[in-house]
Amino acid sequence: MSCKDNRQSIHCSVESCQHHAVNGMCSLSDIQVSPKQNCCDGKADESQCSSYKCRW
């Protein structure tokens, strides 16, 4: 992640999302990250991108 001019870059490899852009970037200026239901194990899979929209 880079922080140039106080802006973050959002990298994403989920090609099925309509916000997926070239070079593995997300075209959104920000994203919403939410916890998964019934999951509180402190691991990386505890959260999900709530900004996901199916491309198809």
Side-chain angles (χ1 to χ4, degrees):
M1 184 176 352
S2 66
C3 294
K4 298 176 185 170
D5 301 323
N6 296 323
R7 294 180 295 172
Q8 294 180 331
S9 297
I10 303 169
H11 298 269
C12 180
S13 59
V14 182
E15 294 181 15
S16 65
C17 182
Q18 73 181 27
H19 306 298
H20 184 267
V22 295
N23 299 324
M25 299 297 292
C26 177
S27 63
L28 294 172
S29 60
D30 59 23
I31 62 169
Q32 177 66 39
V33 177
S34 301
K36 290 182 181 177
Q37 290 190 357
N38 303 318
C39 181
C40 187
D41 58 12
K43 296 180 182 175
D45 66 351
E46 185 175 329
S47 62
Q48 62 188 8
C49 178
S50 295
S51 300
Y52 174 85
K53 300 279 188 233
C54 185
R55 179 180 301 269
W56 303 286

